[in-house]
Amino acid sequence: MLSPMLFLSVACSLPKIIVNVYHFLLFLEDHESYGSIGFIVMHTFQICFLLFTPFVLVELYTMEIEKIRMFLMHRLIDENNPAIRDDVDLFFRYVNTRSMKYKIFRIIPVNMTLPLELINLCITYVIVIINFTHLYG
């Protein structure tokens, strides 16, 4: 059950990251104590690590699939034996047909663009929080 668990992880981790970044900004403006900043930074790194690791692993997995496709393409071109060539062609068509792409609930692609979108979302909401709380003005 990759989809529901990954979706819940993303949905529950984003508010934590946003609040931690806001607390870090409070620390920079001397509104937060020194004792809590270490915890905030470590907690933010832990959440980011746990949140973004699946996306990095899926991207590494996709890169390995591309290496296999390149190997099969070279093997298909260089092979002289018709039986082996047919087997390689069959497997190559299988690998091309079965895309190794994962999606959350068949909607959100799980690749390296998703963490960048999540960071973009966090930055947007931190800016909104800063504007509502008048942190810098």
Side-chain angles (χ1 to χ4, degrees), residues 51-62 110-112 115:
L51 181 63
F52 298 147
T53 300
F55 306 119
V56 173
L57 292 177
V58 166
E59 191 68 27
L60 290 173
Y61 179 70
T62 304
V110 178
N111 55 21
M112 284 304 290

Side-chain angles (χ1 to χ4, degrees), residues 24-74:
F24 183 74
L25 292 174
L26 284 175
F27 168 75
L28 291 178
E29 290 296 313
D30 292 330
H31 298 292
E32 190 81 23
S33 67
Y34 287 104
S36 65
I37 192 64
F39 172 75
I40 291 170
V41 170
M42 286 189 318
H43 190 244
T44 304
F45 283 137
Q46 177 190 16
I47 293 170
C48 290
F49 179 75
L50 293 175
L51 181 63
F52 298 147
T53 300
F55 306 119
V56 173
L57 292 177
V58 166
E59 191 68 27
L60 290 173
Y61 179 70
T62 304
M63 288 172 49
E64 287 298 317
I65 295 298
E66 289 300 318
K67 287 179 187 178
I68 291 171
R69 284 184 181 157
M70 291 300 293
F71 174 77
L72 289 173
M73 181 67 78
H74 288 292

Side-chain angles (χ1 to χ4, degrees), residues 103-118:
K103 292 186 178 188
I104 300 174
F105 293 122
R106 296 183 182 168
I107 298 172
I108 305 168
V110 178
N111 55 21
M112 284 304 290
T113 60
L114 188 57
L116 297 176
E117 293 294 327
L118 295 175

Side-chain angles (χ1 to χ4, degrees), residues 61-126:
Y61 179 70
T62 304
M63 288 172 49
E64 287 298 317
I65 295 298
E66 289 300 318
K67 287 179 187 178
I68 291 171
R69 284 184 181 157
M70 291 300 293
F71 174 77
L72 289 173
M73 181 67 78
H74 288 292
R75 184 75 189 254
L76 190 61
I77 292 170
D78 295 339
E79 187 60 48
N80 294 328
N81 188 349
I84 295 175
R85 189 178 184 125
D86 289 339
D87 289 340
V88 170
D89 183 48
L90 179 67
F91 188 66
F92 184 71
R93 283 187 286 151
Y94 174 77
V95 170
N96 281 335
T97 303
R98 294 273 307 169
S99 67
M100 305 299 177
K101 307 282 185 198
Y102 294 108
K103 292 186 178 188
I104 300 174
F105 293 122
R106 296 183 182 168
I107 298 172
I108 305 168
V110 178
N111 55 21
M112 284 304 290
T113 60
L114 188 57
L116 297 176
E117 293 294 327
L118 295 175
I119 290 171
N120 185 20
L121 186 69
C122 286
I123 290 172
T124 301
Y125 281 105
V126 165

